[in-house]
Amino acid sequence: SNSSHPNGIKAYDSSIMSANLICSAGGKYGSKGNFSPDPLVDCPHFSDPLEGRPAPAVSPCAANSLVVNNQTLDLWPGTYCGGLTITGSSVVKLKPGIYVMKDGPLIVDMTASMEGVGVGIYFSGQKSSFLFDRDSTISLTAPTDGVMAGILLFGDRSQSSVTYTIQSDHARQLLGTIYLPNGELSVDAGQPIADQSAYTAIVARKIRGRSGPTVTLNTRYEQTEVPVPTGIRGVGQGIALVK
């Protein structure tokens, strides 16, 4: 946590944060039972490892406020103005490429499913975010090349106070980097998230876990061709004095 707040990392009740290293630039709130190991505090700040990555271009609208309801179909890369809603029992496959949600959210709800390999999704504008609802199924793998190589979900840097929500109990494959530099990632799922991914990295303004979710951030980089963005690998290495 880069926050200099005395409670930069907070854990309540029976929640547990487990990692090789837990580090807060400020402080932490919670008992030793909430953390494994106990967080280091007063740690140095890390700069945004992806601040130099350019945002994808926003092309003319390929669709306007598209709703997919009880359909099975493929969708193609492009700019979805007003966002995209996948609902009912729809089964949607995203073809490889970059998808831009402009001025509207990406919503997958009911029992709908969305999957894609080689897919990067960019959220443009203050009204753009995502909601993966409880009974939806999400399986996404980031591109291996291009402007979104290694980046799965990318929030507009000009946003403020935007919340991105994962409630899905079936979002076990999120392979790549979730980059929300000015957004909050809220995870409120009853089943493990991202545990079947070779790796998942998250860079966000704030991360909030609700109702006991299990979020697994694997680092099995050698098991996938999806590149790890420069600056992600090794960010959490231990701190030591050197001569």
Side-chain angles (χ1 to χ4, degrees):
S1 170
N2 259 349
S3 173
S4 57
H5 192 279
N7 296 335
I9 297 176
K10 292 188 284 188
Y12 298 94
D13 302 326
S14 59
S15 62
I16 299 173
M17 176 180 285
S18 176
N20 289 333
L21 171 69
I22 305 172
C23 191
S24 174
K28 58 96 176 179
Y29 175 91
S31 67
K32 285 191 175 181
N34 293 127
F35 302 101
S36 178
D38 203 42
L40 298 175
V41 296
D42 197 26
C43 288
H45 288 269
F46 291 102
S47 61
D48 180 349
L50 299 177
E51 62 185 354
R53 286 292 293 265
V58 179
S59 58
C61 302
N64 288 279
S65 302
L66 180 63
V67 177
V68 180
N69 187 8
N70 295 322
Q71 295 176 269
T72 298
L73 81 167
D74 296 341
L75 290 179
W76 298 86
T79 298
Y80 289 75
C81 295
L84 168 65
T85 298
I86 302 171
T87 189
S89 58
S90 295
V91 177
V92 169
K93 182 176 182 179
L94 303 180
K95 293 294 187 180
I98 297 175
Y99 294 76
V100 177
M101 302 295 143
K102 181 181 178 184
D103 300 325
L106 169 61
I107 297 173
V108 186
D109 65 6
M110 305 294 285
T111 59
S113 69
M114 180 182 71
E115 65 175 62
V117 174
V119 168
I121 306 176
Y122 178 62
F123 299 88
S124 173
Q126 186 66 21
K127 295 181 180 180
S128 186
S129 63
F130 61 73
L131 168 61
F132 303 149
D133 208 5
R134 181 76 63 192
D135 294 322
S136 67
T137 299
I138 309 295
S139 178
L140 297 172
T141 299
T144 58
D145 55 21
V147 68
M148 289 278 282
I151 301 182
L152 188 63
L153 305 165
F154 187 155
D156 191 336
R157 291 187 176 97
S158 69
Q159 291 180 335
S160 62
S161 302
V162 173
T163 300
Y164 296 80
T165 304
I166 300 176
Q167 296 177 331
S168 172
D169 284 341
H170 314 281
R172 305 185 70 178
Q173 175 81 347
L174 296 173
L175 203 171
T177 301
I178 299 172
Y179 181 46
L180 310 173
N182 287 309
E184 174 181 319
L185 178 63
S186 175
V187 183
D188 185 13
Q191 297 298 320
I193 299 298
D195 63 311
Q196 294 180 356
S197 310
Y199 87 86
T200 305
I202 302 173
V203 178
R205 179 75 174 177
K206 181 183 291 187
I207 301 172
R208 187 188 303 270
R210 302 176 185 272
S211 303
T214 299
V215 182
T216 301
L217 304 180
N218 290 319
T219 56
R220 300 192 297 262
Y221 303 132
E222 72 285 351
Q223 295 183 7
T224 178
E225 295 182 356
V226 175
V228 183
T230 300
I232 294 294
R233 187 194 296 260
V235 166
Q237 291 176 344
I239 300 166
L241 293 174
V242 295
K243 185 175 180 181

